[in-house]
Structures are given as C-alpha cells and as structure tokens.
Amino acid sequence: MTRERASRLLFAVGAAGAAVLFALALGGLPHVGDVPHPYGARAVSSAVGRHTANAISSVNFDQRALDTLGEEFVLFGAAVAALLLLRRMRDEDDRAGVGQAGPGDVWSAVNLAGFALLAPTVLVGLYVVAHGAISPGGGFQGGAVLATGLHLAYLAGDYGVLERLRPLAVFDVAEAVGAAGFVLLGVSGLFVGDPFLANWLPTGTLGSLTSAGMVELFNVAVGMEVASALILLLSKFLEQALLVHERDHE
Amino acid sequence: MSALEIVVVMLVTAPLLVGALVAGGAVTAMGRRLADPVVLLVAVAVTVAAGWTAGAVGDGTRVVWPGGWTPVHGEPIGVALVIDRPAALLVCLVGLLTVAALTYSWHFLADTGTPYVVLVVVFLGACAGFALAGDVFDAFVWFELMGVTAYALTGMRIEEHRSVHGALTFGIVNTVGASLSLSGVALLYARTGELNLAAIGRSLRGSPPDHLVVVSCALLLTGVLVKMALVPFHFWTADAEAVAPTPVCVLLSGAMVTVGAFAVARWWWVVFDGSVPESAIRHALVGFGTVTAVVGAVMCASQRHLKRLLAYSTVAHSGVIACGIGLLSGPGIAAAGLYAVGHACTKGALFLVTGLLLNRFETLDEHELYRRGRGMWLAGTTFVVGGLALAGLPPFGTWAGKAAFSTALAGAHAGWLEVVLLLVSALTGGSVLRAGLRIFAGLGEEPDPGPDTHEQPEGDHPPRRDVLRVLVPPVVLMCVGLWLALGPGVAASAASAGATVVDQQQYSAAVLGGAHLALPAGHVEPLWSVTTVALGLLGAALATGFALASLWPSRLPGPLSVVRRPWHSTQRVLHAVHRAHVGDYVSWVLVGFAVLGATLLLS
Amino acid sequence: MSDVLAALPYAVAAWVLLAGCYGIATSRNFIHIIVCLSLVQSSTYLLLLLVGWSGHATAPVFGDVQPGVRVVDPVVQALTLTDIVVGAAVTALLLALTIQLAKRLGTIDPDRIRSLEEDLEE
C-alpha cells in the first residue's frame, strides 16, 4: 500500500470513529434553543446588579476576569513570539537602509478612500473600546478595529506613511503597559481590602458611560494591549514581506 | 484576602506581570540587561512560594474567588482558584525546572534576547494557572497559553529548519487536541449548565451517565493526553523535543507531561468519578499507558540522536505515570506523582548535559560522538548516573517513584504492571547508559559513521572553567532526585497528596460550601524495603545488560542473538509509522479519540 | 424526522470539525493546513453558540431593552470571544513559523519537507 493510501485509510478510520462518537453524544443534547442556562441567568442578574448593561462585558471583565487575563496574555505571548520568530537573522538585511518600500501602485481612488477612512476608523475603534460596558464591543473588538484601522494607510498604498504612524518602540511599551495594567488594576483591589480582580469602583447607573465600575478601566487596558499586539504582529509580517531579504554576497 | 490567598494569586499573576514589565522594559538597554536576572528571581520566588504554600495548606483545600464572586446558594458565578498540596507541589516542580532552564540559558544560549525570557516566565505563570484552575474553561485558557509559549520557544532557533518544522507540528497537533477538549467543555455545559469543576461533578453525579457524558469525558481528556504524550497522541513529542533549545526541552519533558498528568487525575476525581464507571477509566488509562510505555521504550532504544532518545524515553515514562493514575487509588496517585517528579528532575539533568555536548561538538548523534566525550568527567558521570537513575537504581528519584508503585500495585492487585515498569527501566535507562558509556568512556565497538549529522550549536562553547558552571543545574536536579529517595517524610507527603487528589468530597465542599471530612491517608508504606530495593537493582541490572549488549552486538551470546531479527523488524515497522507528516499525526489524534471513547463506552 | 432536523445544527458543528481535520490530513501546503486548523477552531465557536442560543430571545445587552427581557446566554458568548482571540493568536504564531520554514527550505509542502529531511539523513 502506498504511503498516501495508508494516510487516507488512517484518516478514514479516525474520522469514522470520531463521527460515531459525536453522533452518540449529540443524540443526548437537548434541541437547539431548549438548552437550560442556569449559569447564564445568574450571570445576567449579576451583571444587572453591577449596573453593567453589556452582560457579556460583565462576564468577561467582572465575573470571569481571570479568563480574560489569560486570554490577554495569549495575544501578548503571540506578539512576543512574533518578535522572537520573525527576527532578523545573521544573513539577512532589510531594505530600510537602502530605501523604504514606497507608495504602491494603486488607484488614486483607493489611495484617497484609505486616507479618508483612517481617522474615522480609529475614532470608531476608540468608541468601541470606551463603550464596551454599555453596548456590544469592548477592549478586544475595539483593539482589533484600531489596529487594522491604522493599516488603512498601508492598504491605501503607502507603507512609508504607515511606518511613520507606527513607531514600534511606542507600541512595544503600550502592549506591555496594557498587559501589566490589567494585572495591576486587578491587584489594586487588594489595596482597598477587596479580593483580586474585584470591581471596587462605584457602579453608576445602568447604561451610562460611568457605569460598571472597573469594567471600563479593564476595557481600556485590554484595548491598548490588543491594538498594540496586533500592530506589532502585523508589522513583523509586513517587514518579512516587504523589507527583509537575504544579504547580497559580493 | 488572607496571606495564603494573596500568595496563591501571586503564583499565577506575578510571572505574568513580570513578563509584561520585562517586555516593556526591553526598549531600553538597561531593561535588556536586567531581563535575565529579574526573570530568574521571579522563578525562584514562585518556587519558594509554592513550596511554602504546600506546607501552609497542609491536608486541606483552600479556594480563592477572584473578584469576590463567591457562590450564591452553592451555585458558582466566578472562576475559582483551588489550592491544595498536590497542586502547590506541582507548581513548585515547574518553578524548579524553570529555574534550572533559566540558569542554563542565561549564559549558554545565544541569541536569546528578551522575548525568550518573557515567554519562559509566561509559560511558568500559565502552568501555575492550569494547575490551580477550578473551572474547566479557565483551565482551557491557561492550557492554550502554555501551548502558545511552548510552540514559540520550540521554534526559536529559526536557522534550523528542523526546529521550525518541529514547532509547527507541535502547534498543529496540540491545537487540534485543544479544540477537541473545548468541544467537550461545550457538551458538558449543555448537559450541566456549569463550568466550575466541582459544580459539573455534582450535577453529573445526580443522574445516570449516558453517551453524552462519556463522549465528553473522552473529548476533554484527549487534549490533555496530547500534552501528556500518550500513544497515539505522542507523535509531536520526539519531533519537537529533538529540535527545541535545550532549556525548553527540560520544560517540555518535565513540566508539560507532569501538568497534563495532574489534570487527568484532578478532572477524573472531581468531575467524572461517580458518573462514568471506574472500570472504564481504569481500562482506558492502564491500556493506553501500557501501550505508550512499550512503544516509547522500544523507540527510545533504537535512537541515535540523543535528544530524540530522551524524548521517546519521556513518552515511555509518561505511559508509566498514566498506569499509576489508572490504578484509581490514593497510593496509585502518590506513586505516579513521586515518579513524575523524579523523572522530571532526572530527564531535565540529562537534557542539560546534552546541551553541553551540542555546543562543544556541534552534533548530537551518538555514533558521531563515540569516544569524543572522554575527559569530561563531571558531565560523563552525571549522564551515566542519570541513565542508571532512569533505570530505577536506588537511591534516586525515579527509584523512589517505583518503590511507591510497588506498594500501590500490590494494593490494586496489578502486580503484572511491574513487568512493564521493568521493561521501561531496562530499555530507557539502558539506552541512556549505552549512549553515555559510548560517548564518555569510549566503550563499545566502533559504530558505523552514518550520515552527516552536524547541527548548529545553541551557544558558544564555554571555556573550561565555565563548564563546571554549566553543570550546576543538572547536578542540582539530580540531587533533588536523591532527596526524594533519601529525605524524611517524602513518602508521607506523597501519600497525603495522593489522598487529597482522590478526596472528591473535600474538594467539592471547599469549592461549593459544606462540611468536609478529610480522608486519612491510611498506613504509609516506607519506600525502603527489601522488595523495592531488589526491584530497583534488578531494573538497573537489566539496563546495564541491555547497554552492554548494544555496545558489543557482535559478542552477543548465541541464545540471545535470536531476538535480534524480531527486534530489528519491530523497530523498522515503528520507525515507518513515526516517519509521517503532520496530517497523519492529526489522523492519529482522531483515531486515539475514537479508541478512547470506545474504551470508555464499552467498559 | 424532526429529531434529526433538531440535531442538524450540532451535526453541522461536528461536520466542520471533521472537514477541517480532513483538510489537515490531506494537505500539501502548510498555509492551507493552518487555515483548516482555524476551521477546526471555528467548529468549537459554532458548538458553543448553539449551546447558548434560546428561541425568542435577544442579545444580552440592556441598552434598548430593559432587564427582565429574555436574552441568550452571555456566558457562552464570552467563552466564544475568548476562544476567537486565542485562535487568532495561535494562527498568527503558526504562520510566522511557516514563513521561516519557507525561507529555509523553499517549500511548504509537508510531504516534500519530510522527504527533504529524510534525504538529509541518508
């Protein structure tokens, strides 16, 4: 039997077995829509009790903030990993010294649209981060909008402008501040006699910007961290694509 | 929050916080210089704090609810961090291995830079989080954080394509396992409406088990068994550990496998015991464990590449640990735990010595290194003693574990597993012994030169006086192993830790509220007895015999040489199966899940 | 019949998982493998959201609706959000590794890479 046929047979056996097990399991599930959610009900009433209109944000940043801490560090770890794995090697050079990758060959309509949309997109990103506790959104979503919004400059065809908008050292520090900030905000609860990650700020009225206490601050920390991490990741990938090349041997 | 609760929270968050601060500080030159010492200091602090916590919490179980979200009417809202002695000891072990790895890499791993130490310390924090997590989804998040940092650390040597390929394989296989586990979490949530481990357990025990529960158990365990490197989830192990930088190998072999084993034990007793039949999990763990032990041992014996050899021996010992958990008793867990700690220390020491060889000779092929290690007396002694320790020679760490195993096996009427243990000792210990004698003592017949096996060194070879400094971490790890065998009270601590793991009522009561009655550990058999010492010496003798037979194959006596042909054909078959690409490894994960599920359903 | 239809959404999640695994098992390109891996991860999002859904319920955000109205499960949505972030991070990491592999070996075909490594050992 050739290697390929053996591989396919192996997969067929594994997938068939897994499919049978899934079928047995799914047979025991209640119908979609009829699954009882006791934990969900508790989470909603807790969120309302803490005057957090967005129950998901309450779950993420208040009730189960430890999960979010871990999740934030996963993204942090990925950005640091990109710094480690996409580093300059001994036999590589980058074109920064020779001449930067300049404006690409794009239609002027695309160029205009990109630059026109950049500021509003960044503004929307900031809005989404700030209003995480009262409307759908939050630090993660807003951070992603911020990071990709900045890259509209690249999509508009000008990598040079992107580089100027995006001093990497600043975002290195911002990412660290965001990640460390989350932990320190959590620790701040200890100083006022509350447990770690406690939501100890006053929780205002439901639906206002100053409601939900610490959730807003956690949102900002996460937004900063996510935006910086994604910018760092994208910067490393773009460097590899546009700038890095093997050193020319004389 | 009390002092104990603050320390518990710090065990998880201090490494993460320091990792973030060090990463931010790396923009300055001063920050870059301080990165290594600061991170080392944090690792030491975590190790000491975890040790203190193990003593402070004693036989009890304490729970921390971040955010103050304690359960309402016994129904949890927040995420629990649960500390008891076994969890604290696990964090202490991971801390110790991290200290050893960081000490080694501070001077002897080039091109590290700040990202490397940041990832190592975040890995430490993730392991601590996983060990202490009382919530199944929180455990998943820490599990993924462990994974992300480990994949990056494995692929760190980007000039070596094997490193990068190994890291990719590692990442893909582990992520598939993690997704299967998460599916299990979703199914359990659908059935019980809870994510807290104790709450899920309480809910499942209320009704008879059906296919959904059993399949969820198989799904949940699959991800952890991939980390634990049981067959057939183990294919990534050799690929990754053969190519990872030496300090990272120490972490993968010692920390990841042990953390995975702890999760299997903890989740079984808290969540599934009382709903999934005991016979089911016993057959599954002992079955998978035995196959893993045998396959790992045979593959180990046939390797020439030192790190691959050690990686397969990790697989074999992981199988033994799984068998120990499968005994489903307090002494069984105690034995598995003691064995795991002893193995982690010994394996870590062996990996660090191979790092020295790599930097000096730029190869890790046993045949290529024939006789070249002569004169390296400290490295050679450590390596050979490590091999004997793996074989179970008293008074080392692995022997202590095996001694505890003898008691547990007798109690569970599973004496036949002693044969498996002896086989693993003989083959894995013997292989390391063979390699050590060949390299450092120049014994054995001249081996065939073989293909070009040059590898990039990881760092500069240190001048003679610094060689002694390199060897401090491995020697210290071996001494920890010695302490396990000789130290007073070790057997009692292990027994009480084992009893805590199986004491499901105490865990539930601590998390959900209620009266708890700590189960006594029962009579603790001492480690040192005629049987255990005899078995240890037997294992070491078999290992030595195997090593000598491999060193001088042409002088093998007549009756024994008849095993040569079946031995070589078995190896050929196994090698063909192991030389696959990542797609096949994923298929094997599915096959393993299917077999695990079938075993659980049909037992 | 209605039971089968009722279980269909869950079956879709299982199908997506197995289809993703099939893609990984038979792929000749590491980037394709990573995309299939994100497909496997997507099946878990789907399963989580299905488990959390309720009929005749709205989003758990009390902006326009008052507390007390029936909403879907927010816990599961928070879990899915976490899962997506983790998935994105892992994908980025694996792609970075693939870039380096391509630079070293000039190929990202798993079969070719495996045989290249074997050739180097003969």
Side-chain angles (χ1 to χ4, degrees):
Chain A
M1 191 186 295
T2 64
R3 229 201 151 93
E4 204 173 301
R5 282 188 61 187
S7 293
R8 286 186 195 255
L9 185 62
L10 181 68
F11 177 76
V13 166
V20 165
L21 288 176
F22 280 130
L24 288 172
L26 299 179
L29 280 174
H31 293 179
V32 175
D34 289 339
V35 179
H37 304 127
Y39 191 3
R42 295 200 294 273
V44 168
S45 59
S46 306
V48 173
R50 290 286 173 99
H51 298 164
T52 311
N54 186 349
I56 304 168
S57 281
S58 177
V59 172
N60 256 337
F61 295 104
D62 196 352
Q63 299 168 37
R64 297 181 64 96
L66 195 63
D67 282 354
T68 310
L69 176 64
E71 167 194 1
E72 189 192 35
F73 271 89
V74 169
L75 199 48
F76 172 83
V80 172
L83 291 177
L84 181 64
L85 295 172
L86 294 177
R87 64 184 186 268
R88 213 57 94 243
M89 299 210 319
R90 288 180 209 144
D91 61 350
E92 279 176 347
D93 239 336
D94 63 47
R95 294 201 180 91
V98 180
Q100 301 178 15
D105 195 11
V106 299
W107 292 350
S108 49
V110 172
N111 191 295
L112 183 64
F115 284 117
L117 284 175
L118 204 154
T121 311
V122 169
L123 207 58
V124 167
L126 290 171
Y127 173 90
V128 170
V129 171
H131 287 72
I134 55 184
S135 65
F140 291 100
Q141 297 92 324
V145 173
L146 280 172
T148 48
L150 206 62
H151 284 82
L152 278 171
Y154 170 68
L155 290 176
D158 201 333
Y159 185 67
V161 170
L162 175 67
E163 279 193 319
R164 281 197 289 280
L165 280 177
R166 179 208 69 186
L168 284 180
V170 169
F171 286 106
D172 258 322
V173 173
E175 186 196 28
V177 167
F182 193 101
V183 179
L184 290 173
L185 282 172
V187 168
S188 70
L190 294 174
F191 289 107
V192 295
D194 276 335
F196 178 61
L197 291 174
N199 185 352
W200 54 271
L201 285 180
T203 57
T205 47
L206 187 74
S208 76
L209 198 56
T210 55
S211 64
M214 293 284 276
V215 173
E216 296 285 358
L217 296 177
F218 281 132
N219 253 316
V220 169
V222 165
M224 198 190 311
E225 198 268 328
V226 169
S228 312
L230 287 176
I231 288 174
L232 285 173
L233 272 170
L234 283 169
S235 76
K236 282 289 159 195
F237 278 93
L238 282 174
E239 266 178 27
Q240 289 287 324
L242 299 177
L243 297 182
V244 169
H245 65 110
E246 247 185 85
R247 190 164 291 141
D248 300 318
H249 300 286
E250 272 94 56
Chain B
M1 283 173 69
S2 69
L4 178 64
E5 292 177 352
I6 295 181
V7 170
V8 166
V9 163
M10 286 299 126
L11 284 179
V12 179
T13 55
L16 298 179
L17 177 63
V18 168
L21 292 174
V22 167
V27 295
T28 63
M30 165 76 88
R32 283 190 290 275
R33 260 205 305 277
L34 285 178
D36 280 272
V38 165
V39 163
L40 186 57
L41 203 60
V42 167
V44 169
V46 166
T47 313
V48 168
W52 174 81
T53 314
V57 79
D59 288 329
T61 308
R62 296 282 292 275
V63 185
V64 181
W65 296 94
W69 290 98
T70 48
V72 174
H73 307 305
E75 295 184 332
I77 302 176
V79 174
L81 284 174
V82 182
I83 186 85
D84 53 12
R85 183 180 289 168
L89 288 174
L90 176 63
V91 177
C92 189
L93 172 70
V94 178
L96 178 67
L97 292 172
T98 310
V99 171
L102 286 171
T103 315
Y104 175 90
S105 61
W106 189 348
H107 293 295
F108 307 115
L109 198 66
D111 289 339
T112 52
T114 321
Y116 162 77
V117 291
V118 170
L119 288 172
V120 169
V121 81
V122 170
F123 178 83
L124 174 61
C127 286
F130 187 69
L132 301 180
D135 179 286
V136 72
F137 185 77
D138 196 48
F140 167 78
V141 174
W142 298 119
F143 179 97
E144 287 283 34
L145 183 57
M146 273 170 64
V148 164
T149 45
Y151 313 151
L153 287 170
T154 305
M156 202 175 109
R157 294 165 64 208
I158 50 180
E159 323 80 32
E160 282 274 341
H161 63 89
R162 264 177 257 268
S163 270
V164 181
H165 188 205
L168 253 181
T169 310
F170 181 14
I172 293 169
V173 173
N174 268 260
T175 307
V176 171
S179 296
L180 287 172
S181 274
L182 190 56
S183 304
V185 170
L187 291 178
L188 280 177
Y189 183 76
R191 169 51 58 88
T192 62
E194 301 285 353
L195 291 173
N196 182 287
L197 289 174
I200 298 178
R202 177 181 60 187
S203 174
L204 288 180
R205 276 185 279 279
S207 38
D210 64 343
H211 298 315
L212 176 65
V213 175
V214 175
V215 173
S216 314
C217 181
L219 281 170
L220 209 58
L221 287 181
T222 299
V224 211
L225 293 184
V226 171
K227 279 265 191 298
M228 221 182 130
L230 290 192
V231 165
F233 309 110
H234 71 295
F235 290 95
W236 62 269
T237 320
D239 281 357
E241 287 186 24
V243 300
T246 307
V248 176
C249 295
V250 171
L251 292 176
L252 291 181
S253 259
M256 241 163 145
V257 167
T258 318
V259 167
F262 177 78
V264 171
R266 170 118 292 164
W267 293 357
W268 166 258
W269 262 283
V270 176
V271 181
F272 295 108
D273 188 27
S275 54
V276 177
E278 270 195 10
S279 59
I281 194 75
R282 186 182 305 130
H283 291 154
L285 283 176
V286 173
F288 275 80
T290 314
V291 172
T292 307
V294 171
V295 168
V298 173
M299 284 299 291
C300 171
S302 61
Q303 295 299 321
R304 288 168 51 153
H305 187 278
L306 286 178
K307 277 189 179 172
R308 275 190 103 87
L309 193 156
L310 292 174
Y312 279 117
S313 97
T314 301
V315 171
H317 289 279
S318 177
V320 170
I321 296 171
C323 288
I325 303 175
L327 296 176
L328 295 185
S329 65
I333 299 292
L338 201 50
Y339 193 92
V341 175
H343 165 258
C345 291
T346 315
K347 193 53 66 65
L350 286 170
F351 266 116
L352 292 177
V353 174
T354 65
L356 178 63
L357 288 173
L358 177 60
N359 280 345
R360 183 160 179 189
F361 300 114
E362 301 194 6
T363 178
L364 278 176
D365 183 86
E366 185 188 329
H367 293 197
E368 185 75 27
L369 286 167
Y370 174 60
R371 284 202 176 152
R372 291 171 76 177
R374 277 183 310 176
M376 300 172 71
W377 60 272
L378 187 56
T381 318
T382 315
F383 199 83
V384 168
V385 167
L388 288 170
L390 272 188
L393 183 72
F396 290 103
T398 342
W399 170 80
K402 284 184 72 180
F405 251 105
S406 304
T407 324
L409 290 175
H413 307 293
W416 62 273
L417 275 173
E418 281 287 4
V419 176
V420 173
L421 279 171
L422 276 175
L423 179 74
V424 168
S425 305
L427 288 178
T428 59
S431 309
V432 174
L433 203 55
R434 172 197 80 210
L437 290 174
R438 192 173 260 150
I439 297 171
F440 295 103
L443 297 179
E445 299 169 353
E446 181 91 34
D448 22 327
D452 169 39
T453 52
H454 174 261
E455 277 192 36
Q456 287 276 49
E458 292 170 348
D460 301 318
H461 176 62
R464 202 121 226 150
R465 66 170 187 282
D466 281 343
V467 168
L468 291 180
R469 248 200 315 168
V470 175
L471 289 170
V472 165
V475 169
V476 167
L477 284 176
M478 292 297 297
C479 290
V480 171
L482 267 178
W483 172 77
L484 283 178
L486 299 172
V490 170
S493 300
S496 102
T500 314
V501 172
V502 308
D503 194 352
Q504 161 212 100
Q505 283 168 329
Q506 178 178 321
Y507 188 101
S508 297
V511 172
L512 301 172
H516 58 106
L517 9 80
L519 283 178
H523 170 64
V524 178
E525 287 279 346
L527 291 177
W528 291 87
S529 77
V530 175
T531 329
T532 58
V533 173
L535 280 173
L537 290 173
L538 177 60
L542 286 173
T544 317
F546 175 78
L548 294 176
S550 315
L551 285 172
W552 286 283
S554 57
R555 294 202 219 152
L556 209 52
L560 284 179
S561 59
V562 74
V563 305
R564 210 184 295 175
R565 178 153 314 165
W567 176 250
H568 283 304
S569 359
T570 325
Q571 287 188 351
R572 246 201 317 278
V573 168
L574 281 177
H575 273 259
V577 169
H578 279 79
R579 276 248 161 268
H581 66 70
V582 69
D584 291 332
Y585 297 169
V586 170
S587 305
W588 278 112
V589 169
L590 287 178
V591 168
F593 162 60
V595 172
L596 178 62
T599 316
L600 289 176
L601 279 172
L602 300 172
S603 302
Chain C
M1 185 60 186
S2 68
D3 267 350
V4 171
L5 280 179
L8 194 58
Y10 298 126
V12 168
W15 163 256
V16 171
L17 192 142
L18 290 175
C21 287
Y22 174 77
I24 301 177
T26 59
S27 178
R28 300 294 294 256
N29 180 313
F30 262 112
I31 296 189
H32 176 248
I33 288 181
I34 293 168
V35 173
C36 290
L37 191 64
S38 69
L39 198 64
V40 168
Q41 291 170 321
S42 306
S43 77
T44 61
Y45 314 153
L46 184 58
L47 187 58
L48 279 170
L49 290 172
L50 282 173
V51 163
W53 190 71
S54 289
H56 307 296
T58 182
V61 180
F62 299 107
D64 300 329
V65 299
Q66 289 307 309
V69 169
R70 196 172 149 159
V71 294
V72 296
D73 188 353
V75 173
V76 141
Q77 300 206 359
L79 301 188
T80 310
L81 172 56
T82 307
D83 194 13
I84 292 176
V85 173
V86 167
V90 170
T91 303
L93 181 55
L94 295 176
L95 285 173
L97 286 169
T98 311
I99 289 180
Q100 293 294 15
L101 194 61
K103 280 200 292 191
R104 293 292 134 267
L105 292 178
T107 173
I108 46 175
D109 180 338
D111 287 329
R112 277 206 62 203
I113 292 177
R114 179 57 71 184
S115 52
L116 267 174
E117 288 184 349
E118 281 173 352
D119 287 340
L120 288 171
E121 281 173 23
E122 255 124 51

